[in-house]
Amino acid sequence: MTAPCSEIIPDIEDLISSQDITPKERYSNKRSVTIRAKRNKNENIKEQEENFSNIQRSLIPGTQSIFIKTWGCTHNSSDSEYMAGQLASFGYTITDDKNKADLWILNSCTVKSPAEDHFRNEIEAGQKIGKPVVVAGCVPQGAPKTQFIKGLSVIGVQQIDRVVEVVEETLKGNTVRLLGQKRQAGHKMGGASLLLPKVRRNPLVEIIPINTGCLNQCTYCKTKHARGELGSYPPDEIVARAKQSFEEGVVELWLTSEDTGAYGRDIGTSLPELLWQLTDVIPEGCMMRVGMTNPPYILEHLEEMSKILSHPRVYSFLHVPVQSGSDAVLGDMKREYCRADFEHVVNFLKERVPHLSIATDIICGFPTETEEDFAETLTLCEKYKFPSLFINQFFPRPGTPAARMPKVPTQEVKKRTKQLWELFQSYLPYSGREGEIHNILVTEVSHDKKHYVGHTKAYEQVLVPQSEGLLGKMVSVKIVSTSKHSMVGELLSAKPQWLSPGVAQPLPVGQVSGVKSLSEPIERKRSILPLSLLFLTLALLARVFWWIF
């Protein structure tokens, strides 16, 4: 039987015998060892506090900064505002400095190849510098197996109400992919609740998505793959959102969707019915802009739409994309209308709505477009001289029927695009308007940062001098000069006469919609903080004190 340790080693000091080398001898030949002076205790404490601060910041939800970038339509812009609002109300900081942000949210558009290319490049840029990236929008929703988003967290277009959850998990190093559709009683919903908190990019403008998806099957469109079939929000939810917005100082309402004209067909209502309800809640001096509508779904509402667009609190403006002036091409696109239908919409509304402004879109070089087809497009644009004409080259989007069609040579597509552009540049829609008097609603800063921008009743852009307190006001101006895309106005009234529309002062830039005080988001964050995370924090604190003392 082996003897116990106490019998072998009477004392612990006996582990070192008299023959062992001394500590001095042991290290005398270690010339590479550097002797360091003992550090000041205060320096140690400061370093431990900094280390703990970094550990704590990386673990506690709501202490990080988030960068959000958006491509595409106003629907995407609204989604980003809602995601920013939820994150801010939870305590996260929304920043425009992507280099200092702890995480990037990239909200994508799949309409055109260049937008998707920019999206992919931004993902790669973020990964290159070690930023956690969350992708959102139509690219991942429409093609979730795309190689360049592999391994990334995904927020689906109808899942933006779960952005906090996705961000938290991504910061922990996990990958979350939420791509499901919201349904109620078997019907597709418009998406996340419109009453969620949001941070408006422009505190004076509220963007409300009234529906998602569409009823079309356009052969070139990838957005349908992402947004899907039509899903409309209930009118009362839209009206409630509008009321809340005006109570928070908003003066301009934008209605948006992939096709506003199709609104309500899935829930037993219609766009005119919704618009009449909204006009009842728009305060004096505030304005509403109706979003893009395709010709097939506006044809049966022309009489009502002419009355609505003539309403004093609704802009006399409509965006109706025609895409081509050739019936043959429209048929191949499966646009479900002909040129005569489009012209009927424009002519009918222009006859009944004073100074109506129509914007439209054209696709140059669709695969089946011949020179004769393109010539018909030119005659259409020449006839109406649209003040706003969005010219797009055809881009084959993967998975669409048009992508499998024989393509028009690239040089020919560029030539047609240039030809249409030159036609658009050949006329000045605002020429001869000098001396006109208009009331304009001033809501933004111009791109050159030198002017404020207001809009006439026809949603025509008017540049005015930057005067203190002018943003958000309805003012009278005299047109003094014009250019291709805008007019320049001279203020006719002094500051005391400026009309302040709405019922409240607008929220400060970055303020969360629906939050009454700055303490509210903090309280919400504390109430949601998991108990296990609290214990972890206490454990880390105990560890720091152990290091120090």
Side-chain angles (χ1 to χ4, degrees):
M1 182 174 178
T2 304
C5 290
S6 60
E7 295 179 14
I8 298 175
I9 306 174
D11 195 282
I12 190 69
E13 292 179 356
D14 290 341
L15 285 171
I16 302 177
S17 69
S18 59
Q19 287 78 28
D20 286 339
I21 61 174
T22 64
K24 183 177 181 180
E25 294 170 325
R26 185 179 295 119
Y27 294 108
S28 63
N29 63 340
K30 306 293 184 182
R31 296 181 180 180
S32 61
V33 175
T34 302
I35 306 299
R36 291 186 174 88
K38 185 176 180 180
R39 298 183 66 176
N40 183 286
K41 185 176 181 181
N42 289 334
E43 292 180 3
N44 287 331
I45 293 174
K46 182 178 180 181
E47 181 180 351
Q48 298 294 349
E49 288 176 345
E50 289 176 352
N51 290 338
F52 177 70
S53 177
N54 291 332
I55 294 170
Q56 184 186 45
R57 186 165 174 267
S58 67
L59 292 174
I60 300 178
T63 59
Q64 296 83 9
S65 59
I66 310 296
F67 168 72
I68 302 177
K69 185 168 184 175
T70 310
W71 292 264
C73 64
T74 52
H75 197 161
N76 266 19
S77 297
S78 176
D79 287 350
S80 291
E81 289 183 351
Y82 275 119
M83 288 191 284
Q86 293 169 86
L87 290 166
S89 66
F90 193 83
Y92 290 94
T93 300
I94 307 302
T95 179
D96 290 328
D97 190 338
K98 63 182 180 181
N99 293 317
K100 293 183 179 179
D102 297 298
L103 179 142
W104 292 6
I105 297 177
L106 305 178
N107 193 3
S108 62
C109 172
T110 192
V111 170
K112 294 187 267 187
S113 299
E116 187 167 320
D117 292 340
H118 293 157
F119 173 58
R120 181 179 64 250
N121 292 340
E122 197 74 1
I123 290 174
E124 293 171 354
Q127 292 174 321
K128 188 175 181 179
I129 59 176
K131 299 293 184 182
V133 175
V134 174
V135 294
C138 292
V139 172
Q141 183 76 54
K145 295 182 180 179
T146 300
Q147 186 62 30
F148 65 80
I149 64 170
K150 186 177 180 180
L152 299 178
S153 290
V154 176
I155 302 173
V157 294
Q158 287 202 311
Q159 300 292 331
I160 60 171
D161 54 340
R162 299 180 65 182
V163 62
V164 173
E165 175 186 344
V166 174
V167 165
E168 284 185 9
E169 291 302 318
T170 303
L171 286 168
K172 293 176 187 175
N174 300 323
T175 299
V176 183
R177 295 170 73 87
L178 302 177
L179 294 165
Q181 288 190 350
K182 294 187 181 297
R183 292 188 173 273
Q184 188 174 52
H187 294 287
K188 179 184 176 182
M189 299 170 61
S193 171
L194 294 180
L195 299 180
L196 289 169
K198 70 155 54 176
V199 174
R200 301 183 184 96
R201 295 289 293 182
N202 184 342
L204 299 171
V205 177
E206 169 71 5
I207 306 171
I208 302 182
I210 61 175
N211 56 270
T212 189
C214 68
L215 296 173
N216 292 351
Q217 298 292 337
C218 300
T219 56
Y220 58 83
C221 182
K222 184 80 172 178
T223 305
K224 181 64 178 273
H225 296 197
R227 296 284 182 177
E229 294 296 327
L230 180 66
S232 300
Y233 283 98
D236 56 349
E237 189 172 344
I238 297 170
V239 173
R241 181 74 218 188
K243 287 180 177 178
Q244 178 185 329
S245 303
F246 292 124
E247 289 169 359
E248 294 173 340
V250 161
V251 298
E252 193 166 278
L253 196 65
W254 294 0
L255 304 185
T256 186
S257 77
E258 286 64 59
D259 187 352
T260 58
Y263 171 79
R265 287 172 176 257
D266 55 327
I267 58 174
T269 185
S270 68
L271 178 63
E273 291 180 32
L274 170 66
L275 297 180
W276 283 126
Q277 291 184 54
L278 286 169
T279 57
D280 290 338
V281 301
I282 302 175
E284 182 183 358
C286 295
M287 298 296 290
M288 177 172 68
R289 190 187 80 177
V290 180
M292 187 272 288
T293 176
N294 285 309
Y297 308 110
I298 202 69
L299 278 166
E300 67 185 74
H301 301 308
L302 290 179
E303 188 65 48
E304 285 299 293
M305 287 303 299
S306 66
K307 297 175 184 177
I308 291 166
L309 295 174
S310 299
H311 192 283
R313 291 191 288 276
V314 179
Y315 283 118
S316 302
F317 166 84
L318 202 59
H319 179 191
V320 188
V322 64
Q323 306 299 7
S324 175
S326 164
D327 286 346
V329 174
L330 291 174
D332 293 336
M333 290 178 171
K334 290 191 176 180
R335 290 290 288 168
E336 300 182 10
Y337 59 88
C338 62
R339 173 174 175 153
D341 291 332
F342 174 80
E343 292 193 0
H344 176 61
V345 170
V346 176
N347 294 338
F348 187 98
L349 293 176
K350 276 185 168 291
E351 289 171 3
R352 290 161 177 78
V353 182
H355 312 296
L356 175 73
S357 180
I358 295 283
T360 196
D361 299 9
I362 298 290
I363 295 175
C364 293
F366 185 80
T368 63
E369 182 184 73
T370 65
E371 288 190 19
E372 292 75 19
D373 293 324
F374 181 66
E376 293 186 55
T377 296
L378 290 175
T379 61
L380 181 71
C381 295
E382 174 69 32
K383 177 179 180 178
Y384 289 104
K385 291 183 169 58
F386 302 103
S388 296
L389 180 62
F390 303 99
I391 304 170
N392 304 290
Q393 292 184 40
F394 170 77
F395 288 100
R397 306 301 294 127
T400 63
R404 299 190 295 270
M405 298 177 182
K407 297 175 181 58
V408 175
T410 302
Q411 290 305 314
E412 181 64 26
V413 175
K414 290 182 178 179
K415 186 187 82 171
R416 294 176 190 177
T417 304
K418 183 174 182 289
Q419 197 172 350
L420 183 58
W421 174 254
E422 289 173 347
L423 170 62
F424 177 59
Q425 293 296 321
S426 69
Y427 59 87
L428 301 173
Y430 306 121
S431 180
R433 302 278 297 274
E434 292 85 355
E436 292 183 0
I437 308 297
H438 291 276
N439 290 327
I440 64 169
L441 181 58
V442 183
T443 56
E444 56 188 311
V445 180
S446 63
H447 291 299
D448 62 8
K449 310 298 182 185
K450 297 178 181 179
H451 302 85
Y452 285 152
V453 180
H455 292 94
T456 68
K457 174 69 165 63
Y459 204 68
E460 298 161 322
Q461 183 171 269
V462 179
L463 305 179
V464 292
Q466 291 190 5
S467 300
E468 184 180 357
L470 185 57
L471 276 175
K473 302 297 190 297
M474 180 78 78
V475 296
S476 181
V477 298
K478 178 182 179 180
I479 304 302
V480 295
S481 65
T482 65
S483 63
K484 173 64 181 177
H485 302 286
S486 63
M487 298 178 281
V488 176
E490 178 185 84
L491 296 175
L492 292 181
S493 55
K495 188 173 182 178
Q497 284 78 47
W498 295 348
L499 172 63
S500 296
V503 294
Q505 289 296 315
L507 297 177
V509 175
Q511 176 66 46
V512 181
S513 168
V515 176
K516 302 303 182 185
S517 68
L518 293 177
S519 63
E520 189 167 330
I522 299 173
E523 293 302 319
R524 182 181 173 192
K525 180 177 69 176
R526 288 173 178 166
S527 68
I528 299 175
L529 192 67
L531 190 60
S532 59
L533 189 57
L534 177 61
F535 289 142
L536 177 60
T537 304
L538 292 173
L540 287 170
L541 281 168
R543 186 70 174 174
V544 168
F545 283 116
W546 182 83
W547 282 336
I548 295 172
F549 300 109

mmCIF file with all atom_site columns, all heavy atoms in Angstrom, residues 395-411:
data_model
loop_
_atom_site.group_PDB
_atom_site.id
_atom_site.type_symbol
_atom_site.label_atom_id
_atom_site.label_alt_id
_atom_site.label_comp_id
_atom_site.label_asym_id
_atom_site.label_entity_id
_atom_site.label_seq_id
_atom_site.pdbx_PDB_ins_code
_atom_site.Cartn_x
_atom_site.Cartn_y
_atom_site.Cartn_z
_atom_site.occupancy
_atom_site.B_iso_or_equiv
_atom_site.pdbx_formal_charge
_atom_site.auth_seq_id
_atom_site.auth_comp_id
_atom_site.auth_asym_id
_atom_site.auth_atom_id
_atom_site.pdbx_PDB_model_num
ATOM 1   N N   . PHE A 1 395 ? -32.705 45.721 -68.150 1.00 0.00 ? 395 PHE A N   1
ATOM 2   C CA  . PHE A 1 395 ? -31.741 44.844 -67.501 1.00 0.00 ? 395 PHE A CA  1
ATOM 3   C C   . PHE A 1 395 ? -32.413 43.484 -67.284 1.00 0.00 ? 395 PHE A C   1
ATOM 4   O O   . PHE A 1 395 ? -33.470 43.407 -66.642 1.00 0.00 ? 395 PHE A O   1
ATOM 5   C CB  . PHE A 1 395 ? -31.301 45.404 -66.151 1.00 0.00 ? 395 PHE A CB  1
ATOM 6   C CG  . PHE A 1 395 ? -30.409 46.608 -66.249 1.00 0.00 ? 395 PHE A CG  1
ATOM 7   C CD1 . PHE A 1 395 ? -30.919 47.883 -66.067 1.00 0.00 ? 395 PHE A CD1 1
ATOM 8   C CD2 . PHE A 1 395 ? -29.060 46.463 -66.523 1.00 0.00 ? 395 PHE A CD2 1
ATOM 9   C CE1 . PHE A 1 395 ? -30.106 49.001 -66.155 1.00 0.00 ? 395 PHE A CE1 1
ATOM 10  C CE2 . PHE A 1 395 ? -28.231 47.579 -66.612 1.00 0.00 ? 395 PHE A CE2 1
ATOM 11  C CZ  . PHE A 1 395 ? -28.755 48.847 -66.430 1.00 0.00 ? 395 PHE A CZ  1
ATOM 12  N N   . PRO A 1 396 ? -31.846 42.415 -67.811 1.00 0.00 ? 396 PRO A N   1
ATOM 13  C CA  . PRO A 1 396 ? -32.446 41.095 -67.585 1.00 0.00 ? 396 PRO A CA  1
ATOM 14  C C   . PRO A 1 396 ? -32.265 40.669 -66.138 1.00 0.00 ? 396 PRO A C   1
ATOM 15  O O   . PRO A 1 396 ? -31.137 40.518 -65.658 1.00 0.00 ? 396 PRO A O   1
ATOM 16  C CB  . PRO A 1 396 ? -31.663 40.183 -68.544 1.00 0.00 ? 396 PRO A CB  1
ATOM 17  C CG  . PRO A 1 396 ? -30.351 40.879 -68.752 1.00 0.00 ? 396 PRO A CG  1
ATOM 18  C CD  . PRO A 1 396 ? -30.632 42.346 -68.643 1.00 0.00 ? 396 PRO A CD  1
ATOM 19  N N   . ARG A 1 397 ? -33.367 40.508 -65.429 1.00 0.00 ? 397 ARG A N   1
ATOM 20  C CA  . ARG A 1 397 ? -33.295 40.108 -64.029 1.00 0.00 ? 397 ARG A CA  1
ATOM 21  C C   . ARG A 1 397 ? -33.430 38.597 -63.925 1.00 0.00 ? 397 ARG A C   1
ATOM 22  O O   . ARG A 1 397 ? -34.363 38.002 -64.489 1.00 0.00 ? 397 ARG A O   1
ATOM 23  C CB  . ARG A 1 397 ? -34.414 40.793 -63.223 1.00 0.00 ? 397 ARG A CB  1
ATOM 24  C CG  . ARG A 1 397 ? -34.447 42.307 -63.370 1.00 0.00 ? 397 ARG A CG  1
ATOM 25  C CD  . ARG A 1 397 ? -33.137 42.965 -62.921 1.00 0.00 ? 397 ARG A CD  1
ATOM 26  N NE  . ARG A 1 397 ? -32.921 42.792 -61.503 1.00 0.00 ? 397 ARG A NE  1
ATOM 27  C CZ  . ARG A 1 397 ? -31.807 42.279 -60.981 1.00 0.00 ? 397 ARG A CZ  1
ATOM 28  N NH1 . ARG A 1 397 ? -30.813 41.887 -61.760 1.00 0.00 ? 397 ARG A NH1 1
ATOM 29  N NH2 . ARG A 1 397 ? -31.681 42.142 -59.689 1.00 0.00 ? 397 ARG A NH2 1
ATOM 30  N N   . PRO A 1 398 ? -32.510 37.946 -63.236 1.00 0.00 ? 398 PRO A N   1
ATOM 31  C CA  . PRO A 1 398 ? -32.523 36.475 -63.148 1.00 0.00 ? 398 PRO A CA  1
ATOM 32  C C   . PRO A 1 398 ? -33.861 35.953 -62.634 1.00 0.00 ? 398 PRO A C   1
ATOM 33  O O   . PRO A 1 398 ? -34.436 36.496 -61.695 1.00 0.00 ? 398 PRO A O   1
ATOM 34  C CB  . PRO A 1 398 ? -31.392 36.184 -62.158 1.00 0.00 ? 398 PRO A CB  1
ATOM 35  C CG  . PRO A 1 398 ? -30.490 37.372 -62.237 1.00 0.00 ? 398 PRO A CG  1
ATOM 36  C CD  . PRO A 1 398 ? -31.382 38.539 -62.507 1.00 0.00 ? 398 PRO A CD  1
ATOM 37  N N   . GLY A 1 399 ? -34.350 34.913 -63.293 1.00 0.00 ? 399 GLY A N   1
ATOM 38  C CA  . GLY A 1 399 ? -35.592 34.282 -62.859 1.00 0.00 ? 399 GLY A CA  1
ATOM 39  C C   . GLY A 1 399 ? -36.836 34.841 -63.493 1.00 0.00 ? 399 GLY A C   1
ATOM 40  O O   . GLY A 1 399 ? -37.933 34.316 -63.272 1.00 0.00 ? 399 GLY A O   1
ATOM 41  N N   . THR A 1 400 ? -36.694 35.915 -64.273 1.00 0.00 ? 400 THR A N   1
ATOM 42  C CA  . THR A 1 400 ? -37.865 36.493 -64.943 1.00 0.00 ? 400 THR A CA  1
ATOM 43  C C   . THR A 1 400 ? -37.969 35.956 -66.375 1.00 0.00 ? 400 THR A C   1
ATOM 44  O O   . THR A 1 400 ? -36.946 35.626 -66.991 1.00 0.00 ? 400 THR A O   1
ATOM 45  C CB  . THR A 1 400 ? -37.771 38.025 -64.991 1.00 0.00 ? 400 THR A CB  1
ATOM 46  O OG1 . THR A 1 400 ? -36.623 38.408 -65.768 1.00 0.00 ? 400 THR A OG1 1
ATOM 47  C CG2 . THR A 1 400 ? -37.641 38.597 -63.589 1.00 0.00 ? 400 THR A CG2 1
ATOM 48  N N   . PRO A 1 401 ? -39.184 35.864 -66.936 1.00 0.00 ? 401 PRO A N   1
ATOM 49  C CA  . PRO A 1 401 ? -39.336 35.383 -68.320 1.00 0.00 ? 401 PRO A CA  1
ATOM 50  C C   . PRO A 1 401 ? -38.539 36.202 -69.322 1.00 0.00 ? 401 PRO A C   1
ATOM 51  O O   . PRO A 1 401 ? -37.976 35.656 -70.272 1.00 0.00 ? 401 PRO A O   1
ATOM 52  C CB  . PRO A 1 401 ? -40.845 35.508 -68.561 1.00 0.00 ? 401 PRO A CB  1
ATOM 53  C CG  . PRO A 1 401 ? -41.459 35.397 -67.205 1.00 0.00 ? 401 PRO A CG  1
ATOM 54  C CD  . PRO A 1 401 ? -40.489 36.072 -66.277 1.00 0.00 ? 401 PRO A CD  1
ATOM 55  N N   . ALA A 1 402 ? -38.462 37.521 -69.121 1.00 0.00 ? 402 ALA A N   1
ATOM 56  C CA  . ALA A 1 402 ? -37.756 38.382 -70.082 1.00 0.00 ? 402 ALA A CA  1
ATOM 57  C C   . ALA A 1 402 ? -36.262 38.082 -70.114 1.00 0.00 ? 402 ALA A C   1
ATOM 58  O O   . ALA A 1 402 ? -35.601 38.334 -71.137 1.00 0.00 ? 402 ALA A O   1
ATOM 59  C CB  . ALA A 1 402 ? -37.989 39.843 -69.747 1.00 0.00 ? 402 ALA A CB  1
ATOM 60  N N   . ALA A 1 403 ? -35.723 37.549 -69.020 1.00 0.00 ? 403 ALA A N   1
ATOM 61  C CA  . ALA A 1 403 ? -34.291 37.240 -68.981 1.00 0.00 ? 403 ALA A CA  1
ATOM 62  C C   . ALA A 1 403 ? -33.935 36.106 -69.940 1.00 0.00 ? 403 ALA A C   1
ATOM 63  O O   . ALA A 1 403 ? -32.758 35.952 -70.315 1.00 0.00 ? 403 ALA A O   1
ATOM 64  C CB  . ALA A 1 403 ? -33.872 36.883 -67.559 1.00 0.00 ? 403 ALA A CB  1
ATOM 65  N N   . ARG A 1 404 ? -34.927 35.301 -70.328 1.00 0.00 ? 404 ARG A N   1
ATOM 66  C CA  . ARG A 1 404 ? -34.679 34.177 -71.240 1.00 0.00 ? 404 ARG A CA  1
ATOM 67  C C   . ARG A 1 404 ? -34.935 34.537 -72.703 1.00 0.00 ? 404 ARG A C   1
ATOM 68  O O   . ARG A 1 404 ? -34.743 33.711 -73.584 1.00 0.00 ? 404 ARG A O   1
ATOM 69  C CB  . ARG A 1 404 ? -35.558 32.986 -70.839 1.00 0.00 ? 404 ARG A CB  1
ATOM 70  C CG  . ARG A 1 404 ? -35.283 32.480 -69.424 1.00 0.00 ? 404 ARG A CG  1
ATOM 71  C CD  . ARG A 1 404 ? -35.995 31.170 -69.160 1.00 0.00 ? 404 ARG A CD  1
ATOM 72  N NE  . ARG A 1 404 ? -37.441 31.317 -69.183 1.00 0.00 ? 404 ARG A NE  1
ATOM 73  C CZ  . ARG A 1 404 ? -38.174 31.613 -68.115 1.00 0.00 ? 404 ARG A CZ  1
ATOM 74  N NH1 . ARG A 1 404 ? -37.596 31.813 -66.947 1.00 0.00 ? 404 ARG A NH1 1
ATOM 75  N NH2 . ARG A 1 404 ? -39.493 31.720 -68.210 1.00 0.00 ? 404 ARG A NH2 1
ATOM 76  N N   . MET A 1 405 ? -35.386 35.766 -72.936 1.00 0.00 ? 405 MET A N   1
ATOM 77  C CA  . MET A 1 405 ? -35.671 36.187 -74.311 1.00 0.00 ? 405 MET A CA  1
ATOM 78  C C   . MET A 1 405 ? -34.388 36.666 -75.003 1.00 0.00 ? 405 MET A C   1
ATOM 79  O O   . MET A 1 405 ? -33.475 37.158 -74.342 1.00 0.00 ? 405 MET A O   1
ATOM 80  C CB  . MET A 1 405 ? -36.696 37.337 -74.300 1.00 0.00 ? 405 MET A CB  1
ATOM 81  C CG  . MET A 1 405 ? -38.043 36.979 -73.713 1.00 0.00 ? 405 MET A CG  1
ATOM 82  S SD  . MET A 1 405 ? -39.134 38.455 -73.665 1.00 0.00 ? 405 MET A SD  1
ATOM 83  C CE  . MET A 1 405 ? -40.597 37.767 -72.891 1.00 0.00 ? 405 MET A CE  1
ATOM 84  N N   . PRO A 1 406 ? -34.313 36.534 -76.332 1.00 0.00 ? 406 PRO A N   1
ATOM 85  C CA  . PRO A 1 406 ? -33.152 37.075 -77.064 1.00 0.00 ? 406 PRO A CA  1
ATOM 86  C C   . PRO A 1 406 ? -33.038 38.580 -76.833 1.00 0.00 ? 406 PRO A C   1
ATOM 87  O O   . PRO A 1 406 ? -34.032 39.308 -76.885 1.00 0.00 ? 406 PRO A O   1
ATOM 88  C CB  . PRO A 1 406 ? -33.483 36.759 -78.531 1.00 0.00 ? 406 PRO A CB  1
ATOM 89  C CG  . PRO A 1 406 ? -34.455 35.630 -78.467 1.00 0.00 ? 406 PRO A CG  1
ATOM 90  C CD  . PRO A 1 406 ? -35.256 35.831 -77.219 1.00 0.00 ? 406 PRO A CD  1
ATOM 91  N N   . LYS A 1 407 ? -31.839 39.043 -76.592 1.00 0.00 ? 407 LYS A N   1
ATOM 92  C CA  . LYS A 1 407 ? -31.646 40.432 -76.177 1.00 0.00 ? 407 LYS A CA  1
ATOM 93  C C   . LYS A 1 407 ? -31.371 41.347 -77.367 1.00 0.00 ? 407 LYS A C   1
ATOM 94  O O   . LYS A 1 407 ? -30.758 40.942 -78.357 1.00 0.00 ? 407 LYS A O   1
ATOM 95  C CB  . LYS A 1 407 ? -30.497 40.513 -75.179 1.00 0.00 ? 407 LYS A CB  1
ATOM 96  C CG  . LYS A 1 407 ? -30.760 39.740 -73.892 1.00 0.00 ? 407 LYS A CG  1
ATOM 97  C CD  . LYS A 1 407 ? -29.555 39.757 -72.983 1.00 0.00 ? 407 LYS A CD  1
ATOM 98  C CE  . LYS A 1 407 ? -29.838 38.967 -71.712 1.00 0.00 ? 407 LYS A CE  1
ATOM 99  N NZ  . LYS A 1 407 ? -30.208 37.564 -71.985 1.00 0.00 ? 407 LYS A NZ  1
ATOM 100 N N   . VAL A 1 408 ? -31.789 42.574 -77.218 1.00 0.00 ? 408 VAL A N   1
ATOM 101 C CA  . VAL A 1 408 ? -31.410 43.624 -78.165 1.00 0.00 ? 408 VAL A CA  1
ATOM 102 C C   . VAL A 1 408 ? -29.932 43.934 -77.912 1.00 0.00 ? 408 VAL A C   1
ATOM 103 O O   . VAL A 1 408 ? -29.505 44.026 -76.751 1.00 0.00 ? 408 VAL A O   1
ATOM 104 C CB  . VAL A 1 408 ? -32.267 44.891 -77.948 1.00 0.00 ? 408 VAL A CB  1
ATOM 105 C CG1 . VAL A 1 408 ? -31.790 46.027 -78.847 1.00 0.00 ? 408 VAL A CG1 1
ATOM 106 C CG2 . VAL A 1 408 ? -33.732 44.578 -78.177 1.00 0.00 ? 408 VAL A CG2 1
ATOM 107 N N   . PRO A 1 409 ? -29.116 44.088 -78.950 1.00 0.00 ? 409 PRO A N   1
ATOM 108 C CA  . PRO A 1 409 ? -27.690 44.398 -78.745 1.00 0.00 ? 409 PRO A CA  1
ATOM 109 C C   . PRO A 1 409 ? -27.484 45.588 -77.814 1.00 0.00 ? 409 PRO A C   1
ATOM 110 O O   . PRO A 1 409 ? -28.219 46.579 -77.871 1.00 0.00 ? 409 PRO A O   1
ATOM 111 C CB  . PRO A 1 409 ? -27.189 44.697 -80.166 1.00 0.00 ? 409 PRO A CB  1
ATOM 112 C CG  . PRO A 1 409 ? -28.107 43.924 -81.055 1.00 0.00 ? 409 PRO A CG  1
ATOM 113 C CD  . PRO A 1 409 ? -29.450 43.966 -80.375 1.00 0.00 ? 409 PRO A CD  1
ATOM 114 N N   . THR A 1 410 ? -26.481 45.473 -76.957 1.00 0.00 ? 410 THR A N   1
ATOM 115 C CA  . THR A 1 410 ? -26.228 46.497 -75.939 1.00 0.00 ? 410 THR A CA  1
ATOM 116 C C   . THR A 1 410 ? -26.069 47.883 -76.540 1.00 0.00 ? 410 THR A C   1
ATOM 117 O O   . THR A 1 410 ? -26.604 48.871 -76.015 1.00 0.00 ? 410 THR A O   1
ATOM 118 C CB  . THR A 1 410 ? -24.973 46.134 -75.121 1.00 0.00 ? 410 THR A CB  1
ATOM 119 O OG1 . THR A 1 410 ? -25.166 44.856 -74.512 1.00 0.00 ? 410 THR A OG1 1
ATOM 120 C CG2 . THR A 1 410 ? -24.713 47.168 -74.034 1.00 0.00 ? 410 THR A CG2 1
ATOM 121 N N   . GLN A 1 411 ? -25.331 47.986 -77.640 1.00 0.00 ? 411 GLN A N   1
ATOM 122 C CA  . GLN A 1 411 ? -25.119 49.295 -78.259 1.00 0.00 ? 411 GLN A CA  1
ATOM 123 C C   . GLN A 1 411 ? -26.422 49.899 -78.768 1.00 0.00 ? 411 GLN A C   1
ATOM 124 O O   . GLN A 1 411 ? -26.620 51.111 -78.715 1.00 0.00 ? 411 GLN A O   1
ATOM 125 C CB  . GLN A 1 411 ? -24.091 49.180 -79.396 1.00 0.00 ? 411 GLN A CB  1
ATOM 126 C CG  . GLN A 1 411 ? -22.675 48.912 -78.913 1.00 0.00 ? 411 GLN A CG  1
ATOM 127 C CD  . GLN A 1 411 ? -22.198 49.948 -77.892 1.00 0.00 ? 411 GLN A CD  1
ATOM 128 O OE1 . GLN A 1 411 ? -22.377 51.152 -78.080 1.00 0.00 ? 411 GLN A OE1 1
ATOM 129 N NE2 . GLN A 1 411 ? -21.603 49.466 -76.811 1.00 0.00 ? 411 GLN A NE2 1
#
